[in-house]
Amino acid sequence: MSSNAAIPDEDGPLYVSAKKVYPQRVKGRFRRIKWALLAFCLGIYYFLPFVRWDRGPALPDQAVLVDFERRRFYFFFIELWPQEVYYLTGLLILAAIVLFLMNAIAGRIWCGYLCPQTVWTDLFFAVERLIEGDRRDRIKLDAEGWSASKIGLKAAKHFVWLMIAWWTGGAWVLYFSDAPTLVKDLATFQAPFSAYLWIGILTATTYVFAGHMREQVCLYMCPWPRIQAALTDSDALNVTYKFDRGEPRASVKQAAQLKAAGQPAGDCVECKQCIAVCPTGIDIREGTQLGCIQCGLCIDACDDVMGKLGRPTGLIGYDTVKAVEARACGTSPPALRLVRPRTVLYAAIIAFVGGAMLYQLATRAFLNLAVVHERTPLFTTLKDGSIRNAYTLRIANKRSEERPIAITLDAPMGTTWEVAGAQQTADWRPIVIVPPDSTLDVRLFVTMPQPQARGPSQMIQIKAADLSFGENATVKDNFFAP
Amino acid sequence: MTNPNHTAHEPDFDAVTGQSTTGHSWDGIRELNTPLPRWWLWTFYITILWSIGYWLVYPAWPLISSHTTGLFGYSSRAAVALEVQALEQRRDQQAAGLKTASLEEIKASPELLRVALARGKASFAENCVGCHGQGGTGAPSYPNLTDDDWVWGGGLKDIQATIQNGIRWTQNADTRMGEMLAFGRQGMLKKDEIEQVVDFVRSLAKLEPAKGANLAAGKALYETNCASCHGEAGKGNREVGAPDLTDAIWLYGSSREAMIESVHNGRAGIMPAWASRLDPVTIKALTVYVHSLGGGQ
């Protein structure tokens, strides 16, 4: 038997429709934390595109911008080029390990408080409660036949949901274009079709996921509950029903009778408030389980009841498996071990990956040189018998100002070189002007008088030097002779 | 076939769904008759309706000699044609600058140069690589366009004229003409005289002459027969396409045998005139591209 509303019975048919969950309003510490985090997360999401960041006249002034058209990613003072996308890999590794660390310390903090699915579903629940009333009213409303007032309530709810979903999609596209301009274009129907399309897609996913699928996303679509179950241990804090104190369950009256008869009675009065407030509709008293996103709302509900009964709060609370089991056996619970090999290892990986990324970011070059040796032909014999090789240089200027770059060579004596279309200084230093924040392809011709004497191939070093900033980029390549 | 388990006459219901079964049972396994889920059925009906709309809007039904064209007359062939047209329009816009600009102006403007090189490269790959090779590297008898040795001149104007009018392409009145006579075949020089003149030319190009060659006799023969086109010093003459005989580049090979053959049979390589096949803008782009390969003068 399972009182679990959301997850079908193990012995029942495989294919049943989901039972709708009607979470009840709850007040308390964790509810307040969740409201604050909801406001914080959504605030960032909806308003970040409007934050400005000055990068000079040539570049966009939006603090966070994914510029597909010019192939740049801007994040405040960081500007990434497509070839630097590997930073994302680092971020993903970091995110995964942070998730592991969170889990090793206090369970599914991500699921309960920060996951977009949780945050938007919470907001949609709030709207539903505001319009249709609390748990009992909603159950009653769904059970009764259609009437004008029911249609009105339902229509109002779906309208507000759709508005929130639409705003969510609208905010999404603002990260990919200059936000104020795009808002104006969207309002006057001047925006590109893809903007409307993406708003439509995100509106639909938000409305469906947060309004209709809710806990189904966590139970059936999300891989994290499965992974989390394999990663947790008996030292991690989790939202826990302390059965050592709660069992055996008895109403206040029964408990008094049992105690009078000298029999044990637990603190759980079977009020089922923990089930009523649960957004995934589970019974926390069945233990840590896949359906529990550990949002802490049952803690608030139980504390409220315990307070009213004059019993100590914390029958449901953050606790470890070890502590609960120890108390159940009558021994004193072990001290909380937040510092243990697992958490130390996770913290060390986070520090290492984060440190490596910061180091890489701080020391990255703003001048890059890539060289492609001409293949057709590998070399050209000139009239005077000397040999010439051609190279295509791609010079990347990652600064926001135009820069003169000198091309020099580390090659045997007598070697001459020229860059097509470049100014040539007296001392064989062709200078090319690379525009701000862009790349320039130029052809370099290198000529050696008698390279055959030194063998069919020899190493040369091509150097691009920005004299004003003192930055260099060098590339080794081959010079081929017959 | 009779089945001892067959109990078709007694109505049977599936406990899970409450639906009646077919009443068939084999080895205790019952055949259910649960209807399809309603959402699935409705999706199926909607796709049927959708397909009717599709028949109306798009070409769908074959007729005796044609087919239904649909409400908007759509055809994928016409759609491709429209896209090609749009592409050509865009290319023409890009090439508009090339039309009026001179070759030097194109070379000087990074924007025009970029367009010209892209267009020139594409056209070169289509029209020129057959003889001149990928990247203009040439082959024996077909000049290498990346070096600094030009039979007919390597300036922008020279290259443009060569591409436009061709070489020894008699259908074109302005084609480049010049003739290397077949001195041996036409009986102007005897075999040993040819060898003498070849040995002298090899000495001009700092190539090894045959042992004990009579260079003085060769020089005399050269001055009477060759100098009028190739010049006293052997530096060649671009007016008539006479190559420089003193440099390290030999279009038909630098072996003694290849040179003897050149003098005996003459040489008359042909390049088609492209003015009749390519539009002026493409020829301009090709000119700039060839000039950029490394040898442009």
Side-chain angles (χ1 to χ4, degrees):
Chain A
M1 205 275 317
S2 169
S3 60
N4 195 321
I7 302 176
D9 287 343
E10 276 171 30
D11 303 331
L14 292 171
Y15 188 82
V16 288
S17 28
K19 287 178 206 156
K20 196 173 171 186
V21 179
Y22 297 91
Q24 186 173 294
R25 187 193 307 272
V26 64
K27 283 184 182 138
R29 187 154 48 114
F30 290 96
R31 183 64 267 181
R32 280 197 301 277
I33 294 173
K34 274 172 71 73
W35 282 136
L37 285 174
L38 183 143
F40 178 71
C41 294
L42 291 184
I44 290 180
Y45 176 73
Y46 288 125
F47 296 110
L48 191 55
F50 296 97
V51 178
R52 302 287 104 183
W53 189 270
D54 185 28
R55 296 188 185 86
L59 301 176
D61 66 345
Q62 187 158 320
V64 180
L65 179 66
V66 184
D67 192 342
F68 276 123
E69 200 180 336
R70 291 160 39 120
R71 295 175 188 83
R72 299 282 183 274
F73 171 62
Y74 301 98
F75 185 83
F76 294 94
F77 59 93
I78 301 171
E79 179 189 336
L80 295 185
W81 287 34
Q83 59 266 47
E84 293 165 324
V85 165
Y86 62 84
Y87 281 105
L88 278 185
T89 321
L91 273 185
L92 288 175
I93 294 173
L94 215 51
I97 308 294
V98 167
L99 206 54
F100 293 178
L101 180 64
M102 273 185 194
N103 175 58
I105 290 175
R108 291 166 66 175
I109 295 178
W110 171 259
C111 302
Y113 303 93
L114 298 168
C115 175
Q117 176 63 24
T118 295
V119 169
W120 263 282
T121 304
D122 222 14
L123 183 65
F124 275 45
F125 274 141
V127 170
E128 191 173 75
R129 267 200 304 274
L130 199 70
I131 293 172
E132 295 183 359
D134 208 354
R135 178 176 158 87
R136 272 169 216 285
D137 301 326
R138 300 210 301 279
I139 293 174
K140 208 172 113 218
L141 185 71
D142 279 357
E144 72 190 23
W146 286 100
S147 65
S149 79
K150 182 175 176 177
I151 292 171
L153 287 174
K154 291 280 176 194
K157 177 182 82 174
H158 288 284
F159 176 75
V160 177
W161 278 0
L162 276 169
M163 286 299 105
I164 296 171
W166 171 70
W167 199 22
T168 305
W172 176 259
V173 298
L174 299 184
Y175 285 88
F176 298 88
S177 182
D178 182 59
T181 317
L182 185 57
V183 168
K184 209 177 97 212
D185 288 351
L186 284 168
T188 53
F189 300 103
Q190 306 283 310
F193 173 71
S194 64
Y196 294 105
L197 179 72
W198 278 104
I199 292 176
I201 291 172
L202 269 289
T203 304
T205 53
T206 310
Y207 174 69
V208 170
F209 282 18
H212 294 275
M213 293 177 68
R214 302 174 167 183
E215 80 286 347
Q216 306 284 317
V217 174
C218 310
L219 296 175
Y220 298 112
M221 289 168 69
C222 180
W224 179 234
R226 281 88 183 159
I227 302 169
Q228 190 269 345
L231 282 172
T232 192
D233 61 21
S234 52
D235 279 314
L237 285 171
N238 278 306
V239 174
T240 308
Y241 165 67
K242 296 168 189 168
F243 61 84
D244 58 295
R245 196 188 126 191
E247 303 293 320
R249 301 168 198 174
S251 69
V252 180
K253 216 185 258 175
Q254 284 169 336
Q257 288 168 356
L258 284 169
K259 276 182 181 156
Q263 281 176 317
D267 273 346
C268 177
V269 294
E270 193 83 71
C271 65
K272 295 192 175 164
Q273 285 300 294
C274 51
I275 303 173
V277 300
C278 180
T280 62
I282 61 147
D283 184 350
I284 188 68
R285 297 171 301 171
E286 289 172 5
T288 313
Q289 55 199 286
L290 184 145
C292 176
I293 60 167
Q294 301 197 1
C295 60
L297 293 182
C298 51
I299 303 178
D300 283 344
C302 189
D303 283 355
D304 191 34
V305 172
M306 289 296 127
K308 279 175 188 159
L309 294 175
R311 292 179 184 172
T313 58
L315 177 56
I316 303 174
Y318 274 97
D319 208 349
T320 68
V321 173
K322 269 189 183 166
V324 175
E325 281 174 354
R327 282 196 306 269
C329 298
T331 54
S332 67
L336 188 59
R337 282 180 67 221
L338 288 185
V339 181
R340 50 189 201 274
R342 180 189 285 261
T343 54
V344 170
L345 178 68
Y346 291 154
I349 296 174
I350 291 168
F352 174 74
V353 175
M357 283 177 67
L358 279 180
Y359 174 78
Q360 176 69 23
L361 195 64
T363 58
R364 71 194 174 129
F366 288 90
L367 176 69
N368 288 106
L369 175 66
V371 176
V372 179
H373 190 288
E374 178 66 61
R375 297 280 142 189
T376 51
L378 272 181
F379 52 81
T380 298
T381 308
L382 299 183
K383 281 175 82 163
D384 59 2
S386 56
I387 303 296
R388 192 184 63 203
N389 281 207
Y391 304 83
T392 301
L393 310 186
R394 172 163 285 190
I395 308 164
N397 171 16
K398 295 184 179 177
R399 291 193 185 278
S400 52
E401 53 270 285
E402 184 180 274
R403 296 160 82 183
I405 307 290
I407 306 296
T408 56
L409 239 66
D410 190 0
M413 281 290 285
T415 304
T416 56
W417 61 93
E418 64 176 313
V419 169
Q423 310 156 17
Q424 190 96 21
T425 59
D427 55 344
W428 283 108
R429 283 203 310 198
I431 304 225
V432 291
I433 310 291
V434 188
D437 196 54
S438 51
T439 56
L440 185 70
D441 285 358
V442 290
R443 265 170 85 82
L444 167 73
F445 295 108
V446 179
T447 308
M448 286 195 203
Q450 284 299 323
Q452 296 96 321
R454 281 185 291 268
S457 164
Q458 50 195 302
M459 196 69 91
I460 60 167
Q461 192 163 285
I462 302 166
K463 183 169 157 188
D466 177 343
L467 306 169
S468 49
F469 279 96
E471 281 177 319
N472 291 326
T474 50
V475 169
K476 281 197 172 116
D477 210 315
N478 287 305
F479 185 95
F480 294 110
Chain B
M1 201 170 132
T2 55
N3 190 313
N5 295 326
H6 197 200
T7 53
H9 299 294
E10 298 164 30
D12 186 23
F13 290 93
D14 174 35
V16 177
T17 59
Q19 298 286 343
S20 66
T21 72
T22 56
H24 302 166
S25 171
W26 287 273
D27 294 343
I29 299 170
R30 292 179 306 151
E31 187 184 358
L32 299 185
N33 195 20
T34 313
L36 290 163
R38 252 188 311 172
W39 68 264
W40 193 96
L41 212 57
W42 277 110
T43 311
F44 180 61
Y45 291 147
I46 290 166
T47 56
I48 291 173
L49 284 178
W50 180 264
S51 71
I52 293 169
Y54 219 90
W55 292 341
L56 295 175
V57 174
Y58 288 101
W61 290 100
L63 303 175
I64 302 288
S65 60
S66 66
H67 57 82
T68 59
T69 54
L71 287 177
F72 307 117
Y74 171 87
S75 88
S76 49
R77 193 179 285 265
V80 171
L82 267 180
E83 278 178 33
V84 169
Q85 203 184 347
L87 181 72
E88 273 168 4
Q89 221 161 30
R90 219 171 60 222
R91 280 196 188 145
D92 286 348
Q93 276 170 9
Q94 283 180 332
L98 301 183
K99 206 173 266 179
T100 49
S102 73
L103 291 167
E104 284 76 17
E105 282 165 353
I106 295 172
K107 200 82 191 170
S109 148
E111 189 51 34
L112 289 177
L113 185 63
R114 196 177 56 79
V115 176
L117 288 181
R119 208 181 161 107
K121 190 176 181 180
S123 182
F124 191 88
E126 245 173 65
N127 301 298
C128 314
V129 295
C131 294
H132 290 288
Q134 285 287 351
T137 52
S141 316
Y142 301 104
N144 184 337
L145 303 176
T146 70
D147 63 26
D148 58 347
D149 187 29
W150 294 89
V151 179
W152 300 94
L156 282 166
K157 282 265 179 315
D158 302 322
I159 296 173
Q160 189 185 30
T162 305
I163 297 173
Q164 262 173 353
N165 306 323
I167 294 163
R168 300 183 190 96
W169 191 255
T170 45
Q171 288 116 297
N172 187 303
D174 297 322
T175 197
R176 294 195 185 278
M177 288 304 279
E179 199 176 354
M180 171 73 188
L181 298 172
F183 286 93
R185 197 153 39 79
Q186 291 174 357
M188 282 176 279
L189 291 174
K190 288 198 265 313
K191 190 169 181 289
D192 57 332
E193 289 174 327
I194 290 176
E195 289 192 28
Q196 283 168 358
V197 84
V198 162
D199 280 325
F200 171 71
V201 169
R202 286 179 76 78
S203 75
L204 282 180
K206 299 185 184 63
L207 293 164
E208 193 75 7
K211 268 189 189 135
N214 186 351
L215 292 180
K219 185 171 197 266
L221 285 165
Y222 177 87
E223 276 163 7
T224 5
N225 294 291
C226 317
S228 57
C229 289
H230 289 285
E232 288 288 336
K235 287 287 177 190
N237 181 0
R238 286 175 176 178
E239 289 295 309
V240 292
D244 186 340
L245 302 176
T246 65
D247 65 23
I249 294 167
W250 292 86
L251 183 54
Y252 298 99
S254 62
S255 71
R256 197 160 174 273
E257 291 69 34
M259 288 165 74
I260 289 172
E261 205 204 320
S262 292
V263 180
H264 183 83
N265 283 328
R267 298 283 187 186
I270 289 172
M271 167 161 155
W274 293 90
S276 55
R277 309 194 196 180
L278 300 174
D279 61 278
V281 170
T282 304
I283 288 181
K284 266 188 191 176
L286 266 176
T287 304
V288 173
Y289 174 70
V290 170
H291 191 261
S292 79
L293 289 175
Q297 288 167 344

